Amino acid sequence: MSNEIIWNSSLDDRYKVVVTRTAPYQGELTISEAGKILHRQLVGLMYDAVFGPDVVDVFAWKQIAIEFVDYEKG
């Protein structure tokens, strides 16, 4: 169960955003650029993401990534 990728996306064709399961109902979101991890944080997995990520979780993860990138650029 550990290290299962729950969701991944790219942002600005530059950053890779990945959520990986770390425990039941818990994951780790990482934001990387060119293979270097710039940010990581623990996130919840609604309904344990049994059938994939919940749309509410995906929205929250996108917001985390956007805010991080905007802060880094600013």
Side-chain angles (χ1 to χ4, degrees):
M1 178 184 342
S2 184
N3 298 328
E4 173 189 357
I5 293 176
I6 300 300
W7 177 78
N8 66 69
S9 186
S10 62
L11 180 59
D12 294 343
D13 293 323
R14 181 174 171 182
Y15 303 94
K16 183 174 181 182
V17 185
V18 178
V19 174
T20 307
R21 182 186 309 277
T22 57
Y25 299 94
Q26 186 175 34
E28 180 182 66
L29 179 143
T30 58
I31 302 170
S32 60
E33 179 183 22
K36 179 182 176 190
I37 294 178
L38 305 174
H39 178 76
R40 67 173 17 130
Q41 77 179 69
L42 294 178
V43 293
L45 301 176
M46 194 174 294
Y47 309 111
D48 198 26
V50 174
F51 300 109
D54 187 84
V55 295
V56 173
D57 283 345
V58 172
F59 180 80
W61 301 336
K62 287 179 180 180
Q63 288 303 115
I64 291 168
I66 290 167
E67 289 174 13
F68 175 81
V69 169
D70 285 351
Y71 177 77
E72 288 297 305
K73 288 182 178 178

